[in-house]
Amino acid sequence: MSRYRLDPHDLDRLLERLQEGGRVLIGPRLRDGAIVLDRIRSTADLPRGLTTVTAPGRQHLLDRADDALFGYEVGPDAAKRWLHPPRVELWRARKDEGGELFFEGTDEPPKYAFIGLRACDLAAIGIQDAVFLRPGITDPTYAARRADVRIVAVQCGASAATCFCASMGTGPRVDRGADLTLTEVLDGEPHFVVEVGSEEGEALIEGLPVKPVASTAPEEAAARAAAHQERQMPGDVRASLLNALESPAWDDVAARCLACGNCTLVCPTCFCTTVEDTTTLAGDAVHARRWDTCFDQGFTDLHGHAVREGVAQRYRQWLTHKLSTWHDQFDTSGCVGCGRCITWCPAGIDLVEEARRIGGSG
Amino acid sequence: MARPRLGVFKLASCDGCQLTLLDCEDELLAVAGAVDIANFPEASRRIEPGPYDVALVEGSVTTPHDAERIQQIRAESRLLITIGACATAGGIQALRNLADVDTYVAQVYATPAYISTLATSTAIADHVKVDFELRGCPIDKGQLLELLTALLFGRQPTLPNHSVCLDCKLAGNVCVVVAHGTPCLGPVTHAGCGALCPGYTRGCFGCYGPSRGSNPTAQSDLLARQVPDESTIRRLWQGFTTADPVFAEQASRFTGGDGE
């Protein structure tokens, strides 16, 4: 992979390049005391000099001693919010005066570019690709948004207390899925090391004021981030959970679980939706899809009755699908080790600890 | 399609929920054209007698007169829909259920003998059969329109009973519990407001009452870790839906703190 040096004051040139042709740029920005992903236009929109302090059920921001633009760990949002949107109209139908039905499709989505995604985020996109872009059963909503995206990843140089990507084999080193990868170097004269990961990435930096550089900063950053990670998913979790389906340990976590579904909603791979049909007063019908969660009792209704009535059953459904049966369905784990479900659980329930406890791993 | 006859009725309440109908603004003329508003004193002096196809009932039962009136409204209405926290849970005025109403009357009114009131404020469903409930203090305009539209087209309304957390995440709100440590009833509260309070970085105060199948005991345990003072937690549960049995059970766990 070719490596280049980019000065921080030239980063805006790259951001402009990413937005050429009307591409909508999504990146980190500060909102309501957290770093979310949202539309950005220039480096002025990026959170500057901030870091995250993270624990189960807790994430707050602190000032850094430097002007780092990417000096924090992942917040609640992932690329899922744009590639698999929270709510999307699939079609509308209307009747004319003669009673004939007319169907309209939805508008063309914008083209997206992302900046600031981490290794776990790229792995999550890979998993959603496996879910939504299966040969013969492609989801058109996802496919239309996923096609032709540009991704500028950021190499993590630190880990949050809830990160465990190293044990999932998904990070912290960015080694696939990005057009460009930035490593922010803050020692000495601040600069970015830019790694090119695709032909599209090569095109993105063509003509930008970058200089070839021999640097091991990306590997050093990844090694630092990996060294920070204390949480480790047990290697036998896929089998151990399926062997514990009737364990009383599910009741223990169910006593603490709010069944609010936040874990699934911040999870960058969880994809469950429901479909809602409504009508306008004028009689137009709207058929829309929105995120749903397996933690909602109503989500489990079959023939008007909840098949997973208790919280323990719903927690078991989530954990075993995420860590065990996802392999059977999609040839991969459903977990990328980003730790969002731990951080953004209001009750601070720790997926790794629960998997270890319920599965009986050491 | 025959225009259904609509009646809007009020018991003990602040009028905010029925005003939601007038707040429909852009859709108001379409609503007025689609239904025959036969009885809606807030909107028109023209009051036609029943029967009504649809009755929207706001407010709780707090007087002997209310208790009689709701029987009359029920008898005259094909579908009875309660709107708002007063009608569906007894409202904020159900705080009287926890106290001695005669003491209140003596403190507030110069001539208590003129006051005819019940000892409790209760939900409409405690008195008559209710066909559908719209929650909230006040109700949400979009939910009211969805319910009326569904009735007009003879379909099921799309009014999910999941928790506010799902709506927070749909909206992209930052979780106030995780980011700020704010006490928030969102995880156990029925959706419908579009996660309004957390959208302004405030905790949800549960005005829609309990969501389906959530875990209020775990919510109380979380609040106990967040808030040292038991009376603060108790008051959080004893808000606009204080008389809801699910919230009342949690409130009863917190007996300490000031005012005891």
Side-chain angles (χ1 to χ4, degrees), chain A residues 9 11 33 58 74-75 92 112 133 165 176 188-189 193 263 269 283 320:
Chain A
H9 59 262
L11 184 61
R58 193 87 183 95
V74 292
R92 279 178 178 252
Y112 289 114
L133 305 178
C165 63
R176 72 202 110 125
E189 193 184 337
V193 173
C263 46
T269 71
T320 54

Side-chain angles (χ1 to χ4, degrees), chain B residues 14 18 27 30 69 96 151 193 208-209 212 233 237:
Chain B
C14 77
Q18 53 176 313
E27 297 88 357
R69 245 185 106 217
R96 74 160 64 164
L151 287 172
C193 61
Y208 274 64
R212 175 182 164 188
I233 302 173
W237 288 117

Side-chain angles (χ1 to χ4, degrees), chain A residues 171-222:
Chain A
R173 181 75 178 112
V174 177
D175 57 4
R176 72 202 110 125
D179 296 307
L180 298 173
T181 303
L182 305 179
T183 302
E184 188 168 30
V185 180
L186 298 158
D187 296 335
E189 193 184 337
H191 64 279
F192 291 101
V193 173
V194 184
E195 296 169 89
V196 178
S198 69
E199 281 177 26
E200 288 80 4
E202 198 75 64
L204 279 171
I205 58 161
E206 198 186 324
L208 292 189
V210 293
K211 296 182 205 110
V213 68
S215 168
T216 54
E219 286 79 7
E220 289 162 21

